[in-house]
Amino acid sequence: MSTEQFITIIRKRLNRRVLLRFVVFALFAATVISVLYGLYYIVRGYAVPEIGYLWIALPVSLLGLLIAALRRVSKAEAARFADETFHLKDILISSMHFKALPEREEAHDLTIRLSDRSVEPLDPKQVPWLLPRRIALATVFCALLMFLLALLPPSDAVLAAEARQQAMMARSEESLEALEEWIEDLSENMDEEEAEEIDLERLKIAVEELEATGDQREALRQLARIEQEVAERMEKLDQRNDEEALRKAAEELEKADETEARQLAEDLKKKDYKEAAEKLNELKQSEAQTTKLSEREKELAKLRAISKRMAAANGSKMDPDARMSESDPNGERSEQSMEGMLGELDENAQMMEGKLEELELSDQENAGQCEAMACQLNEDIDSIARKLAKMQMKNQAQMKLAGLRQQLAMAQSFASGRSPGMAKMPGGQGAGVGTDNSRRDVREALADNGQYTNLTGQKGEGPSLSKIEDAESGSGVSRRTAVAREREFKRQYESFVQRDDIPESVKYAVGNYFESIHNYSPDAVRDTATTGAE
């Protein structure tokens, strides 16, 4: 075996030894980190995820292999190590140096041959592996501890928390499914105008963006956001001022003698604005030029009887600014309030009434103006009718949103665990469909629908949980017993005189005084008095 072959074998053995040492150290580091990783979960009560061990062992092992590759032994280092181990007095490193020379002398060749003869009897296996036994034993111990930690089950509190989280996830999924169904039902029950008014598409997108979660707070927060959006849409549909104006008008119209006025009042009171709009359209004025003056007066009288009361109910004289419910950024009028529209209708009707009075005096020049005013009145009636129809649409949309909001409250109750399920409420007819008692023709509040319990019998008769007994006057026996007890006194006054500095005669006199007091009786006093008299 030549010197070069011997050095190559030594180098391979040294590289394997370095690799073995770094692998052992890497495994030790991986097991220590894994034990700490397992203790982190065990202390918190959780079971240790086994996949975490793999994610710890892989990078640490790769790091150990990388360091071992960087610490490989070169040929010169292997030759120097062999010279020191086998006591060759640097003959191997000298031989390598001489072989690398471009021109060698006889002394160099002699050294090379001597090196070859020196390595022939040597065995490279004599180089020890130098395994770090303590680190290896510690690695085995940490590995056993690591696997024992992996076998430990989670604590009862963690199991209960996981069960609650799974239940919350199921409730969240069920709530979102129910919410999507409600939105679809709401979309099917709405027409295009209602859907556009409440921006239903945006609400659908907000519902689709919700995700099921096992966190109860997050689930409630998501449902609260949807409920807030529904509440904002309901607030935009609010028309309480216009409804109040119509309510006052209905109360005033009920006092009228005309049938048309009372029918219109009934529709307004029921909030059937669509039917009220149709009745208002019946009061339109004729626009034909051939219309007789008497017919115009009759038509205007019907309209005037209604418009006058409706305007008077909300104030006959109004500020023009009060007639506007909304304004654009430029301050121009965008939408009139119902109160203003009713006042404007009555003003135009009053002006036409004055023109008709002038026409009675055969003033033919005002005929065109009268027809123009009739057209203006019809335009006012159309505006009021359109607003009534829009109010009807807003009321229906608001009722449907109120039903959706009620269902959202039920979903929040279910998500928080206060409700057992997402079943529909008894008697429900879907989103936006229900029964309003104020719109029912016949009320049957006392009708027997199987949900009442009828009590029969006469008051004061029959068995009861408590009884009252009356006793006659007379003698009786008291259950309270009298016990004769001797009174006890504390030695208080005696302690004042039982002292060493008080003479015995004084002590005797004081004691005799108290004894005479305790032994006092009226009979003894009487006997003493009788004896003294004798």
Side-chain angles (χ1 to χ4, degrees), residues 350-520:
Q350 187 177 4
M351 293 176 61
M352 184 174 179
E353 187 178 14
K355 294 297 180 182
L356 290 177
E357 291 178 356
E358 295 179 2
L359 286 176
E360 289 181 355
L361 301 176
S362 300
D363 188 1
Q364 300 298 329
E365 295 179 358
N366 294 329
Q369 296 179 3
C370 182
E371 293 171 1
M373 297 182 72
C375 295
Q376 182 63 39
L377 284 177
N378 292 339
E379 290 180 2
D380 294 341
I381 293 175
D382 289 337
S383 299
I384 295 175
R386 287 193 297 269
K387 188 170 183 63
L388 287 173
K390 189 173 182 179
M391 289 179 64
Q392 181 78 15
M393 180 267 295
K394 286 185 176 181
N395 275 345
Q396 292 177 356
Q398 196 170 22
M399 289 175 58
K400 294 173 183 178
L401 287 178
L404 177 61
R405 192 174 183 182
Q406 185 178 5
Q407 290 171 332
L408 282 171
M410 184 172 60
Q412 290 179 350
S413 177
F414 174 68
S416 61
R418 295 191 299 268
S419 177
M422 288 294 296
K424 291 186 177 181
M425 298 178 63
Q429 300 180 7
V433 181
T435 302
D436 189 357
N437 292 330
S438 64
R439 302 185 183 183
R440 297 179 61 186
D441 297 334
V442 180
R443 297 187 181 184
E444 300 177 355
L446 301 179
D448 185 7
N449 56 1
Q451 298 182 358
Y452 297 96
T453 301
N454 295 325
L455 301 178
T456 59
Q458 189 174 359
K459 184 178 180 180
E461 295 182 358
S464 177
L465 295 178
S466 61
K467 295 182 180 179
I468 301 175
E469 297 182 357
D470 296 332
E472 298 179 357
S473 60
S475 60
V477 179
S478 176
R479 296 181 179 178
R480 183 177 179 181
T481 59
V483 179
R485 295 181 180 178
E486 184 180 358
R487 295 183 179 181
E488 298 179 356
F489 301 92
K490 295 181 179 179
R491 294 177 57 83
Q492 182 176 2
Y493 294 100
E494 289 82 348
S495 62
F496 295 157
V497 297
Q498 291 179 356
R499 295 185 299 181
D500 297 338
D501 57 343
I502 297 177
E504 293 295 333
S505 59
V506 177
K507 293 181 180 180
Y508 176 76
V510 174
N512 189 21
Y513 170 75
F514 284 106
E515 288 178 359
S516 63
I517 291 177
H518 291 303
N519 295 330
Y520 168 79

Side-chain angles (χ1 to χ4, degrees), residues 3 7 50 71 84 108 172 193 227 354 388 411 443-444 447 458 474 498 534:
T3 302
I7 293 175
E50 294 83 356
R71 296 293 299 273
E84 294 177 357
H108 297 160
S172 179
E193 293 182 358
E227 185 180 6
L388 287 173
R443 297 187 181 184
E444 300 177 355
Q458 189 174 359
Q498 291 179 356
E534 292 177 354

Side-chain angles (χ1 to χ4, degrees), residues 172-218:
S172 179
E173 292 177 354
E174 187 174 353
S175 300
L176 294 182
E177 292 177 359
L179 184 58
E180 292 177 357
E181 292 179 0
W182 294 336
I183 293 296
E184 291 297 330
D185 294 340
L186 186 64
S187 177
E188 294 175 359
N189 295 328
M190 277 189 174
D191 54 17
E192 294 182 359
E193 293 182 358
E194 294 175 350
E196 185 178 357
E197 186 70 24
I198 67 172
D199 198 0
L200 186 59
E201 292 298 327
R202 183 178 177 184
L203 188 60
K204 284 183 178 180
I205 294 174
V207 172
E208 291 175 356
E209 291 177 353
L210 299 181
E211 296 180 358
T213 177
D215 188 1
Q216 185 178 12
R217 294 182 179 179
E218 180 63 25

Side-chain angles (χ1 to χ4, degrees), residues 16-140:
R16 291 173 183 175
R17 188 172 73 173
V18 171
L19 177 62
L20 180 61
R21 288 177 61 85
F22 279 103
V23 167
V24 171
F25 279 107
L27 291 177
F28 174 71
T31 53
V32 170
I33 297 174
S34 298
V35 169
L36 296 177
Y37 164 80
L39 290 176
Y40 171 75
Y41 281 93
I42 294 298
V43 169
R44 296 171 58 197
Y46 292 94
V48 181
E50 294 83 356
I51 191 66
Y53 291 153
L54 180 62
W55 289 111
I56 293 174
L58 284 177
V60 175
S61 300
L62 292 176
L63 180 61
L65 293 176
L66 179 61
I67 296 175
L70 296 176
R71 296 293 299 273
R72 288 183 301 176
V73 179
S74 62
K75 285 187 177 182
E77 293 175 346
R80 190 175 294 106
F81 176 81
D83 286 334
E84 294 177 357
T85 303
F86 295 102
H87 306 287
L88 297 179
K89 299 179 181 181
D90 296 336
I91 192 172
L92 298 181
I93 191 67
S94 300
S95 175
M96 287 183 59
H97 178 67
F98 294 156
K99 287 182 179 180
L101 295 176
E103 296 180 359
R104 293 182 296 187
E105 299 179 356
E106 184 177 357
H108 297 160
D109 295 335
L110 180 61
T111 303
I112 293 173
R113 289 193 297 269
L114 179 60
S115 174
D116 292 338
R117 288 196 301 268
S118 299
V119 299
E120 287 181 358
L122 300 179
D123 186 6
K125 294 182 180 180
Q126 294 180 359
V127 177
W129 289 106
L130 296 179
L131 179 66
R133 296 181 180 180
R134 294 181 180 179
I135 300 298
L137 293 176
T139 302
V140 173

